[in-house]
């Protein structure tokens, strides 16, 4: 299970260039993360704006049992983002990890 995240659930005014760090109680099977992380905006774009797709990269630090997610480019200011860990993520010994979600807002 997730034991820590930075930013935290509901946090506001998060730096645009920040990363998301998710720490787990047990080690993960890093290969099971492929295609099971999603980052998106919550809600539609502000009036007159278009929302580009949120592209990201991630890495898994086995020593700290943590996933770090970095957006390829900064998100739009003053928006709420959602990070999802989808079904199918597994621990190092094959146990399933419950799907998990984080929402936070970035500043400007």
């Amino acid at each position: 299970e997730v034991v820590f995240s930075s930013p935290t659930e509901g946090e506001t005014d998060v730096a645009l260039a920040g990363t998301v760090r998710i720490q787990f109680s047990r080690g993960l099977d890093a290969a099971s993360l492929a295609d099971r992380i999603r980052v998106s905006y919550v809600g539609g774009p502000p009036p007159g704006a278009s929302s580009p797709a949120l592209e990201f990269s991630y890495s898994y630090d086995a020593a700290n049992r943590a996933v770090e997610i970095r957006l390829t480019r900064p998100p739009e200011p003053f928006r709420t983002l959602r990070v999802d860990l989808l079904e199918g993520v597994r621990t190092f010994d094959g146990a399933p990890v419950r799907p998990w979600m984080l929402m936070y807002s970035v500043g400007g």
Side-chain angles (χ1 to χ4, degrees), residues 17-94:
T19 61
V20 175
R21 187 168 190 268
I22 307 165
Q23 189 168 14
F24 297 85
S25 59
R26 299 175 65 191
L28 298 181
D29 171 4
S32 74
L33 291 166
D35 300 321
R36 292 190 176 94
I37 299 173
R38 181 173 47 212
V39 181
S40 58
Y41 289 114
V42 174
S50 63
S51 288
L54 290 172
E55 297 175 8
F56 63 93
S57 62
Y58 70 89
S59 59
Y60 177 63
D61 178 353
N64 291 312
R65 301 182 313 272
V67 173
E68 188 170 283
I69 301 168
R70 295 177 187 272
L71 295 175
T72 304
R73 59 182 179 266
E76 295 172 357
F78 307 111
R79 294 291 305 269
T80 300
L81 281 70
R82 177 176 170 151
V83 177
D84 287 284
L85 294 179
L86 306 173
E87 191 169 336
V89 177
R90 302 220 171 262
T91 62
F92 68 94
D93 60 357

Side-chain angles (χ1 to χ4, degrees), residues 5-9 11 14 19-21 100 102 104:
S5 73
S6 177
T8 58
E9 174 64 30
E11 189 169 340
V14 174
T19 61
V20 175
R21 187 168 190 268
W100 180 85
L102 164 71
Y104 68 95

